[in-house]
């Protein structure tokens, strides 16, 4: 009898479920599969030079993805990030090109990014403009201001400091990757361990509940857009240092890539669900895919087609996960 009682009271044995495992680690598995396939397609994929190049390219996208994820968490979108990046890059070349101008360049570029984010946030939160239209409008305004300032042909040199953080390594690790990792850690803690982070998730998950709890949803939304604008400006400065030259379209495509990366990484377009590490995993998958396409020597037209296919697959993946 006692044996029967002991048996009935025993803890159930843990069983392995492939479905649960894939549900939990699907992004990690996808990234691993993409790395293996890319290595099979091109053995030079895992060469030291190519890995360093991928990390250098991944950091600016990762920084933008962090800000984009914050905006999506509160049910928004930021289409102005690429234009903010280009504007920051133009600012970087608008001075003498010496390190003595680094502080002025940084302050002005980040200030423009923060102001753009503030404008986006105010339009969305206070004027109830749709995130798509609000950020599309600021994107166009920045494009027009850039074109008027540069007359369509920007010139000048990026200060050496930005070239260092954008394209050089510290003991084999890119400076820009270190910056991205620090920012990822800061925003991960901000979202998961602070009152503001809980307010972000509640605001995105259920705005009505947020109001009933006394959360200032407008303030939370505006701050998320400000974060996105500031991070996009920083990414633009870093990318200008990596490229070494600047034009009016630095960062083109980052608005779509950052949204796709965040969604692939589990940040729900409906708001209130997702993490920074997950969004960065989505960015890593995109970087691996695009790098493999380049190594295969495909023409630019085919690269664009493959990029579109990746976006469609990511959208379908999101719909399936949200069902």
């Amino acid at each position: 009898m006692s044996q029967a009682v002991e048996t009935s009271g025993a803890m159930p044995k843990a069983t392995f479920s492939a479905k649960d495992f894939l549900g939990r680690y699907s992004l990690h598995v996808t990234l691993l599969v993409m790395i293996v396939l890319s290595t099979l397609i091109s053995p030079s994929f895992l060469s030291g030079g190519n890995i360093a190049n991928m990390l250098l390219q991944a950091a600016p996208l990762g920084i933008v993805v962090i800000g984009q994820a914050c905006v999506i968490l509160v049910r928004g979108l930021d289409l102005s990030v690429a234009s903010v990046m280009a504007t920051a890059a133009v600012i970087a070349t608008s001075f003498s090109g010496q390190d003595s101008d680094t502080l002025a360049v940084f302050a002005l570029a980040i200030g423009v990014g923060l102001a753009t984010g503030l404008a986006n946030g105010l339009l969305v939160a206070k004027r109830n403009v749709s995130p798509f239209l609000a950020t599309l409008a600021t994107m166009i305004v920045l494009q027009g201001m850039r074109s008027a300032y540069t007359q369509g042909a920007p010139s000048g040199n990026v200060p050496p400091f930005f070239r260092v953080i954008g394209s050089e390594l510290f003991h084999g690790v890119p400076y820009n990757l270190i910056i991205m990792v620090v920012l990822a850690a800061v925003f991960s803690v901000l979202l998961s361990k602070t009152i503001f982070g809980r307010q972000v998730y509640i605001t995105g998950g259920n705005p009505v509940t947020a109001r009933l709890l006394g959360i200032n949803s407008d303030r939370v939304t505006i701050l998320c857009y400000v974060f996105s604008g500031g991070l996009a400006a920083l990414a633009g400065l870093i990318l200008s240092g990596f490229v070494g030259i600047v034009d009016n379209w630095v960062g083109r495509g980052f608005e779509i890539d950052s949204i796709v990366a965040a969604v692939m990484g589990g940040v729900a377009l409906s708001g209130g669900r997702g993490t920074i590490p997950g969004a960065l995993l989505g960015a890593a998958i995109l970087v691996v895919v695009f790098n493999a396409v380049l190594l295969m020597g495909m023409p630019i037209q085919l690269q664009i087609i493959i990029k579109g296919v990746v976006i469609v697959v990511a959208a379908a993946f999101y719909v399936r996960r949200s069902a």
Side-chain angles (χ1 to χ4, degrees):
M1 180 70 177
S2 61
Q3 183 178 1
V5 172
E6 290 177 2
T7 302
S8 61
M11 294 293 292
K13 293 182 179 180
T15 58
F16 175 80
S17 171
K19 183 178 180 180
D20 292 342
F21 178 83
L22 290 176
R24 183 184 295 264
Y25 299 106
S26 58
L27 285 174
H28 303 77
V29 173
T30 301
L31 179 59
L32 180 61
V33 170
M34 293 308 306
I35 291 174
V36 172
L37 289 177
S38 299
T39 304
L40 293 175
I41 292 172
S42 176
S44 62
F45 177 83
L46 289 181
S47 65
N50 188 60
I51 291 176
N53 188 53
M54 276 197 298
L55 293 177
L56 285 168
Q57 295 178 11
L61 175 59
I63 292 172
V64 175
V65 167
I66 293 172
Q68 189 73 255
C70 291
V71 170
I72 296 176
L73 283 172
V74 291
R75 301 190 174 195
L77 289 175
D78 192 350
L79 298 179
S80 67
V81 290
S83 198
V84 170
M85 293 176 70
T87 303
V90 168
I91 291 172
T93 60
S94 297
F95 292 79
S96 67
Q98 303 300 316
D99 273 339
S100 57
D101 295 321
T102 298
L103 186 59
V105 168
F106 183 84
L108 183 56
I110 299 300
V112 169
L114 295 176
T116 303
L118 178 61
N120 288 332
L122 289 174
L123 287 171
V124 172
K126 296 297 186 180
R127 304 303 300 174
N128 293 321
V129 179
S130 74
F132 178 87
L133 290 178
T135 58
L136 180 65
T138 53
M139 176 190 76
I140 295 172
V141 169
L142 285 176
Q143 287 178 357
M145 293 174 63
R146 259 191 341 269
S147 296
Y149 175 74
T150 63
Q151 296 297 307
S155 60
N157 297 316
V158 178
F161 174 80
F162 294 111
R163 293 185 183 179
V164 170
I165 65 173
S167 61
E168 295 189 13
L169 310 178
F170 177 75
H171 295 293
V173 181
Y175 283 101
N176 61 8
L177 183 66
I178 296 173
I179 295 172
M180 187 205 75
V181 170
V182 171
L183 288 172
V186 169
F187 276 88
S188 293
V189 171
L190 179 67
L191 291 176
S192 63
K193 303 294 184 181
T194 68
I195 294 175
F196 174 77
R198 288 192 286 275
Q199 292 176 342
V200 168
Y201 283 103
I202 294 173
T203 298
N206 193 324
V208 175
T209 300
R211 287 195 296 270
L212 292 176
L213 292 175
I215 295 173
N216 189 337
S217 299
D218 289 349
R219 179 179 65 87
V220 171
T221 299
I222 292 170
L223 280 175
C224 286
Y225 277 99
V226 169
F227 290 152
S228 181
L231 289 171
L234 176 59
L237 291 176
I238 291 175
L239 187 59
S240 68
F242 172 75
V243 176
I245 58 175
V246 64
D247 60 32
N248 278 324
W249 304 105
V250 168
R252 175 187 289 182
F254 270 59
E255 68 278 18
I256 301 300
D257 292 349
S258 60
I259 294 171
V260 172
V263 171
M264 285 180 64
V267 182
L269 286 172
S270 56
R273 189 173 76 248
T275 64
I276 297 299
L280 291 178
L281 271 175
I285 293 172
L286 284 185
V287 170
V288 169
V289 171
F290 298 157
N291 183 261
V293 171
L294 287 174
L295 289 177
M296 293 171 64
M298 294 182 177
I300 185 63
Q301 295 85 353
L302 189 55
Q303 293 177 30
I304 295 173
I305 292 173
I306 292 177
K307 186 175 181 178
V309 170
V310 171
I311 293 173
V312 170
V313 172
F317 181 73
Y318 166 74
V319 171
R320 183 177 179 181
R321 290 185 62 170
S322 301

